[in-house]
Amino acid sequence: MASIIGAASPYRSPEKAISSSLFSDESDSNPVDAVIFAGTSLVLGTACRQLFNGTRVPYTVVLLVIGIVLGSLEYGTKHNLGKIGNGIRIWYDINPDLLLAVFLPALLFESSFSMDVHQIKRCMGQMVLLAGPGVLISTFCLGALIKLTFPYNWDWKTSLLLGGLLGATDPVAVVALLKELGASKKMTTLIDGESLMNDGVSVVVFQLFFKMVMGQNSDWGSIIKFLVQNSLGAVGIGLAFGIASVIWLKFVFNDTVVQITVTLSVSYFAYYTAQEWAGVSGILTVMVLGMFFAAFARTAVKGESHQSLHHFWEMAAYIANTLVFILSGVIIAEGVLSGRRISYQGISWGFLFLLYLYVQLSRCVVVGVLYPLLCRFGYGLNWKESIILTWSGLRGAVSLSLALSVKQSSGNLYLSSETGTRFLFFTGGIVFLTLVVNGSTTQLLLHFLRMDTLTASKKRILEYTKCEMVNTALKAFENLGDDEELGSANWPTVTRHVTSLKDLEGGQANPHKGCPGSLLGDA
């Protein structure tokens, strides 16, 4: 598989080749161990999901910590975790392009497919602003700060390469967090759509700077041509696959298995066609494909089949999310602990925390510069929403995979192996800090800004719905008393023992015509 960064990226770096040969002498690694590790990760993830359900601890943060613990144990015990340790090393040594190709299509398609198409239309202007100019502003802000303050004598191209790698939010991390916190549909659509789009744009920008770092000279004309071809090509391929698959689904009647298989296969084929054959952004392609399905698949897939399709993709996204975040934790632990000379230096950790501040500062600059325009597009944007938009800029698996690609491609005339290790160290640290610090405190920030409460109109609708449900339940309860077989029952005793009926006392007011004051008194 060709490298996502458009350069000849070896499957393993020389350091990994040496370490892998040592591992093979110490233990008999089997490809089946990779499956064992995946199964173990799913079991641990499911147990944590059940254990932390209803708490304020984000599920994705727990998964990342589990991965870091597993990676640290595997490295700290000198690779003595048995088959689980073998599986960890297999996944750690996997080609990052393969890692993206396995997980990203399913995650991106599910995220874009589940979005509300009407809200997408309203928020499209804001998404384009944040994904286009926003990514460029963030990349150049981070690149300039790294170049001017970091003591590694990196040139502008290398500094901008790291800035492009960290410049965009990760849709995998952001979507998983927002779904857990129950943010408003407007904010979820905006942040979700922006993350999907700007991650694709960020990969394109990253590819551009990586080619420049690897010695390819580019003038402004070729740079603009590269960016336009990647962006428009991805949109065209996504629309082409979307149109073809929706036409196919129109000829499928009441066969859920075929419909699910078509959507699953087309998402991976679209990603592969864009990324490997056409050389454009596979992330943008799958995002366009998913949004096209959200807009037009309802006419091709109807009734229970449409619901089954959503349930399947929710399950696929849950499995992929669990594996991605645990693997991200393993990669962070292995990357930090294996680069002893770098990670054991106090100065490196100091610059990691400084880089985290730069990442937050660049996000503030992006939202601040674009705020006047964001207020005039779509649903608008108030100051509270801008704070959440700034703080929810998480980084995740995509940034880690790109950093792994840089590390594997380092060790040459253009990019030293030490620089590649620093890229992985800084990227892993930023992913950890944004997920743990930003991800864990977003819910508190929502509560502090009182954005997790229902509006007056929604409360009114909820009260009306509750009243209608109460009336329906009471009518059904009264009809039971007229039943010949149940007529001799002691209904006062029944009422006392039916907890749900006792909870209805108090009388909810119907906002239009009123509701009985004593609900059980009429029964």
Side-chain angles (χ1 to χ4, degrees):
M1 179 176 287
S3 174
I4 193 172
I5 54 180
S9 177
Y11 183 80
R12 292 178 181 174
S13 62
E15 294 87 347
K16 286 189 176 182
I18 296 174
S19 62
S20 298
S21 63
L22 293 175
F23 295 156
S24 61
D25 294 337
E26 295 176 359
S27 60
D28 297 329
S29 180
N30 192 313
V32 178
D33 297 339
V35 181
I36 294 176
F37 173 73
T40 304
S41 299
L42 289 176
V43 171
L44 291 174
T46 303
C48 290
R49 180 184 176 91
Q50 184 176 7
L51 181 63
F52 290 95
N53 187 27
T55 66
R56 291 189 175 184
V57 181
Y59 173 63
T60 52
V61 174
V62 177
L63 294 179
L64 187 72
V65 173
I66 290 175
I68 292 175
V69 171
L70 289 176
S72 301
L73 287 175
E74 192 273 336
Y75 189 89
T77 58
K78 297 181 179 179
H79 318 295
N80 197 25
L81 289 184
K83 289 187 174 295
I84 295 180
N86 294 338
I88 289 175
R89 292 194 296 277
I90 292 173
W91 281 103
Y92 179 72
D93 287 341
I94 195 173
N95 190 312
D97 300 318
L98 179 60
L99 192 66
L100 290 175
V102 170
F103 293 112
L104 269 190
L107 288 167
L108 296 173
F109 184 86
E110 189 275 336
S111 298
S112 52
F113 180 46
S114 61
M115 295 174 68
D116 190 325
V117 64
H118 300 290
Q119 290 191 329
I120 292 175
K121 293 178 181 178
R122 290 291 300 273
C123 297
M124 183 58 69
Q126 296 170 310
M127 295 178 190
V128 171
L129 280 173
L130 291 168
V135 168
L136 296 178
I137 293 172
S138 177
T139 298
F140 283 100
C141 280
L142 281 173
L145 290 171
I146 292 170
K147 170 63 178 175
L148 297 175
T149 60
F150 276 42
Y152 302 125
N153 294 323
W154 290 342
D155 56 19
W156 277 101
K157 292 181 290 187
T158 305
S159 301
L160 290 172
L161 178 64
L162 183 57
L165 192 152
L166 297 173
T169 56
D170 181 30
V172 179
V174 174
V175 171
L177 176 68
L178 292 176
K179 287 184 177 179
E180 285 185 64
L181 300 182
S184 67
K185 192 68 177 178
K186 167 190 169 182
M187 283 299 300
T188 301
T189 302
L190 176 59
I191 298 176
D192 188 359
E194 179 234 342
S195 300
L196 288 168
M197 293 180 68
N198 73 6
D199 209 65
V201 175
S202 177
V203 171
V204 174
V205 174
F206 177 85
Q207 291 173 347
L208 174 64
F209 286 115
F210 188 84
K211 289 182 178 180
M212 296 171 65
V213 168
M214 299 305 288
Q216 296 186 16
N217 294 323
S218 301
D219 54 17
W220 283 106
S222 59
I223 291 175
I224 295 174
K225 180 181 178 182
F226 176 83
L227 295 176
V228 172
Q229 283 182 345
N230 271 266
S231 302
L232 297 183
V235 173
I237 294 175
L239 290 176
F241 272 92
I243 294 171
S245 54
V246 168
I247 293 175
W248 186 356
L249 289 175
K250 285 183 180 292
F251 293 96
V252 180
F253 177 73
N254 200 25
D255 194 336
T256 306
V257 174
V258 172
Q259 293 166 342
I260 291 175
T261 305
V262 169
T263 57
L264 179 64
S265 59
V266 77
S267 63
Y268 280 90
F269 272 115
Y271 182 88
Y272 177 82
T273 302
Q275 194 71 51
E276 306 298 328
W277 178 71
V280 300
S281 174
I283 296 176
L284 282 178
T285 300
V286 178
M287 182 208 69
V288 173
L289 175 65
M291 290 185 176
F292 186 87
F293 262 83
F296 298 102
R298 287 179 175 84
T299 60
V301 183
K302 299 180 181 179
E304 295 182 358
S305 296
H306 192 273
Q307 189 175 12
S308 300
L309 191 62
H310 275 284
H311 288 165
F312 166 80
W313 279 106
E314 287 177 2
M315 186 63 193
Y318 165 73
I319 294 174
N321 263 321
T322 302
L323 295 177
V324 162
F325 281 101
I326 290 182
L327 283 174
S328 298
V330 169
I331 291 172
I332 290 173
E334 288 277 349
V336 170
L337 294 177
S338 60
R340 295 183 182 180
R341 196 156 56 94
I342 294 175
S343 60
Y344 289 179
Q345 294 176 356
I347 187 174
S348 297
W349 289 96
F351 280 102
L352 171 61
F353 290 107
L354 181 62
L355 182 59
Y356 172 74
L357 295 178
Y358 287 166
V359 168
Q360 303 307 317
L361 177 62
S362 67
R363 184 71 175 172
C364 291
V365 171
V366 169
V367 177
V369 170
L370 299 178
Y371 183 77
L373 294 175
L374 293 173
C375 294
R376 290 172 171 78
F377 285 94
Y379 294 102
L381 194 74
N382 57 43
W383 66 272
K384 291 183 178 180
E385 293 167 341
S386 64
I387 293 176
I388 299 299
L389 184 63
T390 302
W391 193 245
S392 60
L394 310 181
R395 274 68 178 174
V398 175
S399 297
L400 274 176
S401 297
L402 295 177
L404 276 173
S405 294
V406 173
K407 184 180 179 182
Q408 290 185 352
S409 301
S410 62
N412 50 51
L413 179 63
Y414 303 103
L415 197 65
S416 66
S417 58
E418 185 176 356
T419 301
T421 304
R422 291 190 189 278
F423 266 57
L424 183 59
F425 172 78
F426 285 131
T427 305
I430 293 300
V431 170
F432 176 79
L433 289 173
T434 54
L435 281 174
V436 173
V437 178
N438 298 52
S440 299
T441 56
T442 299
Q443 186 175 18
L444 296 176
L445 187 60
L446 285 169
H447 182 72
F448 177 77
L449 297 175
R450 296 187 177 182
M451 296 181 64
D452 57 348
T453 58
L454 295 176
T455 61
S457 59
K458 289 185 177 180
K459 286 182 180 180
R460 190 177 180 185
I461 294 173
L462 181 60
E463 291 297 324
Y464 176 78
T465 304
K466 288 167 60 178
C467 184
E468 292 298 314
M469 293 175 65
V470 167
N471 289 333
T472 303
L474 289 177
K475 289 179 182 178
F477 185 69
E478 291 173 358
N479 293 334
L480 291 176
D482 298 332
D483 193 301
E484 294 181 356
E485 297 181 358
L486 302 176
S488 59
N490 188 343
W491 288 107
T493 303
V494 172
T495 302
R496 288 198 305 271
H497 286 83
V498 179
T499 307
S500 58
L501 288 175
K502 290 196 296 183
D503 291 341
L504 298 178
E505 294 184 2
Q508 291 84 355
N510 189 317
H512 297 298
K513 59 182 180 182
C515 194
S518 179
L519 296 173
L520 294 177
D522 297 337

